[in-house]
Every structure is written in C-alpha cells, then in structure tokens.
C-alpha cells in the first residue's frame, strides 16, 4: 500500500483528510473551496513540496545532486585545481525559506567538503562532501468546503521537522586542463516522523562533467552536466513501516559565469559568480515536482590577503532562487530563497 504522502494525483476531500498526520502546532487556518469536478487545491497538493524522500526540491536526491554538481559557489577552475589551489576544505551553512500553496518551510543546511590531490604530482583529486539538512514545515489548518454545501472541520497539516544528510565521495579526473569527469558514490539517511512517513535511506552513484571556457569577456564560462542513479534501502539505520523498493534517476545541467572584480572589497580581492542550473527528477510517475530551476549569485572575498596559506582562501556569500512547478496543481508551485555563507581554506 502506498504511504499517504504519495497519493497526490487525485486527492478528493476525503482522501486529503485521510492522508494527514497528527500535528502539535497550528499557525493559521485556510479555506479550500472544492468545485464540482475539481479534486485538487493548493493545500492538498502543496504539502509535498517539503517531502524529503524524492519528488521535491527539498528531497535527498536533490541534495545529492547539488553536491555532485555545484555551479553556484565561487571555486577554483581550470589549471588551479591541479595546484595547491585545488587542495582545500570548505565549511558552510545556508538558510532557505520556501512556499508552495498554503505550506511554508524553513530549511537549515550545513556542509563540509574536503578536496585533496591524490598523491604527489597527481592531477586527480579526491572529493568528500557531507551535507546535513534540517527541514521544518510550519503548522496550519485547512477547512474544505464541499460542492453543494457543507464543510469539513479544520484539518491539520505540517508542524513537523525532518533531518537528513548525505555522505558523498568521488574522484575528480582531468580529461584536459579545462575538462573534468567526476564519478561519485553516496549514502543518504532521513530521520523523520509520521508526517513524512518516517525514515528513509538511499544509495546513489553519479557521473559529473565540467568544462571551462576561459577568457569569455573578462571571466570564465563553466558548463556542467550530471546523471545520478539512486536506490532505496531498508537497514537497521532507519525505521521504515512503509518501505518500498524503488529506483530513481536525477539529471542536472547548467552553466556559470565567474568574474574577477576590478574593485577591491574591504581592501581585498573579490570575485562574482552567476549561475543557472536545471534539475530533472525521474523514476516515480506520481512525483509532483519533477523539474527544478535554480538561479543565483555568489561572491568570494579573500579572507587573509597578506598571510593566507593559498590565494584561494576566502569567505563566500550568495543568494539562490529556486522554482519548481507542481505537475498536478498549478497553484502549488514551489518558490524559495536561500542565503548562503561559507569559508574555504
């Protein structure tokens, strides 16, 4: 039997009520008017925008894809990755505020990355990424008004929090100075309550390609693409009363333009990066959010100009906008803004 969060294609008032889990806090009450022949409303469809398993911009496959192909952050490109420039550690955090229909969510992310060349004189790099997300959905209630009169009692949604993280490792292999291929493997674990149908696990494998076009104007143009395969697991590390064996494919591609700025910020060198990335989720016919668009700007500022151990030691900050249409309810599209801050050393 499908867990309740998967029944999204044709929610009637009755199935919408049955699909909801108990919540402990409610922020606001909305009214959903069901017209004859219409079985969808933003409240019934928008709540899956925070679904952490798959099929949403806040899911584990998207988290894994963003780690595998990151075109948003200012980072070394081209020949710099083959020198001490490419040996670095990064710590960072983000805050995301999102909305779909009546549902609002806030997501806090922490991220650690370790990148090192493999052996003396090697041009290949070992990459390790560990992102962790805490995703909270605000509580609210919905009153369903039925065709011909009558209405339901207030139905609770939200008021729940999910925690999930990924361990992702790979080897970056140079095809040429400006062309990199990176195979990766990853494991993701979700810890969640009844509202999100409990825990989940994923294993994944991906291949990423990046190509740099140098000196496009005053900056560099970077093109990237990724394909990832994910498979569900059920081990002692999670509690899954609704476990289903499933396979998913994630496709991701985009471009970025990185520009060194002439003006110095706080007396230090700086650079700007603008990016756009498109992500396509496949593998489950009832995924409400399959196509995800991300557009952002980020800036890097050298942190210790006179004494840094490498010239790419820097603070980074950025703003990312994300949009995803809901395939089954046009008023339940997902939009979010993400603030980012990181330090590469």
């Amino acid at each position: 039997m499908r867990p309740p969060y998967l029944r999204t294609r044709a929610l009637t008032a009755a199935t919408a009520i049955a699909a909801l889990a108990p919540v402990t806090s409610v922020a606001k009450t909305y009214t959903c008017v069901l017209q004859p022949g219409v079985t969808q409303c933003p409240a019934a469809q928008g709540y899956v925008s925070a679904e952490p398993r798959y099929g949403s911009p806040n899911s584990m496959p998207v988290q894994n894809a963003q780690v595998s192909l990151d075109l948003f952050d200012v980072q070394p490109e081209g020949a710099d990755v083959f020198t001490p420039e490419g040996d670095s550690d990064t710590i960072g955090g983000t805050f995301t505020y999102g909305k779909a229909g009546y549902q609002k969510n806030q997501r806090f992310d922490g991220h650690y990355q370790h990148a090192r060349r493999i052996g003396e004189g090697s041009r290949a790099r070992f990459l390790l990424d560990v992102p962790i997300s805490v995703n909270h959905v605000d509580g609210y209630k919905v009153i369903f008004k039925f065709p011909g009169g009558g209405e339901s009692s207030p139905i609770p949604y939200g008021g729940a929090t999910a925690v999930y993280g990924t361990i992702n490792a790979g080897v970056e292999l140079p095809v040429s100075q400006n062309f990199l291929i990176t195979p990766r493997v990853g494991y993701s674990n979700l810890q969640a309550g009844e509202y999100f149908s409990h825990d989940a696990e994923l294993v994944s494998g991906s291949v990423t390609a990046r190509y740099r076009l140098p000196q496009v104007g005053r900056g560099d143009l970077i093109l990237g693409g990724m394909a990832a395969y994910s498979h569900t697991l059920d081990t002692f590390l999670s509690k899954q009363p609704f476990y289903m064996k499933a396979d998913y494919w994630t496709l991701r591609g985009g471009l970025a333009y990185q520009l060194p700025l002439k003006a110095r910020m706080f007396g230090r060198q700086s650079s700007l990066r603008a990016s756009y990335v498109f992500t396509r989720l496949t593998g489950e016919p009832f995924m409400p959010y399959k196509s995800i668009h991300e557009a952002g700007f980020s800036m890097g500022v050298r942190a210790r100009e006179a004494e840094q151990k490498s010239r790419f030691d820097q603070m980074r900050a950025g703003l990312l906008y994300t949009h995803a249409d809901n395939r089954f309810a046009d008023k339940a599209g997902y939009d979010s803004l993400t603030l980012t801050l990181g330090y590469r050393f």
Side-chain angles (χ1 to χ4, degrees):
M1 180 177 178
R2 281 187 184 275
Y5 71 90
L6 291 177
R7 301 174 200 162
T8 59
R9 188 159 190 173
L11 282 175
T12 63
T15 57
I17 293 171
L20 301 175
V23 296
T24 58
S25 62
V26 173
K28 192 173 182 179
T29 299
Y30 299 92
T31 299
C32 177
V33 179
L34 297 176
Q35 301 295 334
V38 178
T39 60
Q40 300 171 347
C41 71
Q45 295 291 310
Y47 81 98
V48 292
S49 64
E51 165 55 42
R53 280 173 173 72
Y54 57 85
S56 88
N58 294 284
S59 62
M60 291 188 294
V62 173
Q63 181 189 70
N64 187 69
Q66 289 172 334
V67 165
S68 299
L69 179 62
D70 181 6
L71 294 177
F72 174 67
D73 283 335
V74 175
Q75 54 188 286
E77 299 287 353
D80 283 344
V81 301
F82 307 136
T83 70
E85 296 284 337
D87 294 342
S88 63
D89 293 273
T90 301
I91 54 174
T94 72
F95 170 73
T96 298
Y97 177 84
K99 187 177 186 298
Y102 299 149
Q103 178 164 281
K104 301 174 184 177
N105 78 292
Q106 301 88 43
R107 194 183 73 241
F108 298 88
D109 303 290
H111 184 196
Y112 169 73
Q113 182 191 72
H114 176 76
R116 283 293 182 274
R117 288 169 296 166
I118 302 175
E120 186 70 24
S122 173
R123 293 165 62 89
R125 291 198 306 165
F126 170 74
L127 304 176
L128 174 66
D129 287 89
V130 184
I132 299 176
S133 300
V134 179
N135 189 26
H136 176 74
V137 177
D138 291 346
Y140 60 99
K141 288 183 178 179
V142 179
I143 297 174
F144 292 90
K145 291 192 174 183
F146 305 111
E151 62 183 40
S152 71
S153 59
I155 307 300
Y157 285 75
T161 301
V163 180
Y164 47 100
T166 294
I167 299 176
N168 186 300
V171 178
E172 187 178 74
L173 304 171
V175 178
S176 67
Q177 178 172 294
N178 294 314
F179 185 32
L180 303 172
I181 299 291
T182 308
R184 287 176 176 257
V185 294
Y187 167 80
S188 302
N189 187 291
L190 163 68
Q191 299 293 310
E194 187 177 359
Y195 184 76
F196 295 113
S197 296
H198 302 282
D199 304 345
E201 296 175 81
L202 285 177
V203 289
S204 61
S206 68
V207 177
T208 302
R210 296 170 67 100
Y211 187 77
R212 168 179 172 259
L213 293 171
Q215 298 180 346
V216 178
R218 292 183 46 247
D220 295 337
L221 180 66
I222 300 95
L223 307 176
M226 184 220 69
Y229 166 77
S230 300
H231 177 76
T232 57
L233 288 180
D234 184 11
T235 75
F236 69 95
L237 296 175
S238 62
K239 297 179 181 179
Q240 303 186 56
F242 298 114
Y243 172 72
M244 292 188 306
K245 185 178 180 180
D247 303 285
Y248 315 117
W249 284 92
T250 305
L251 304 177
R252 182 171 169 88
L255 52 84
Y257 186 69
Q258 185 159 303
L259 178 69
L261 300 179
K262 292 182 178 180
R264 299 171 72 85
M265 181 171 291
F266 309 114
R268 296 168 180 170
Q269 293 180 341
S270 59
S271 54
L272 180 69
R273 189 178 184 106
S275 64
Y276 167 78
V277 180
F278 174 76
T279 302
R280 179 72 174 177
L281 304 174
T282 67
E284 166 57 52
F286 296 103
M287 283 184 182
Y289 301 94
K290 281 195 170 186
S291 299
I292 303 169
H293 305 266
E294 302 169 46
F297 292 90
S298 60
M299 177 171 287
V301 180
R302 302 282 166 78
R304 297 174 294 173
E305 190 105 25
E307 54 184 275
Q308 58 198 2
K309 67 179 182 180
S310 76
R311 64 184 176 89
F312 208 79
D313 190 4
Q314 69 169 227
M315 297 293 295
R316 300 174 292 106
L319 180 65
L320 180 70
Y321 169 69
T322 301
H323 173 76
D325 289 327
N326 188 305
R327 298 167 57 223
F328 308 123
D330 57 0
K331 294 183 179 180
Y334 179 80
D335 294 279
S336 71
L337 283 177
T338 300
L339 298 174
T340 71
L341 182 64
Y343 177 52
R344 187 184 301 274
F345 57 96

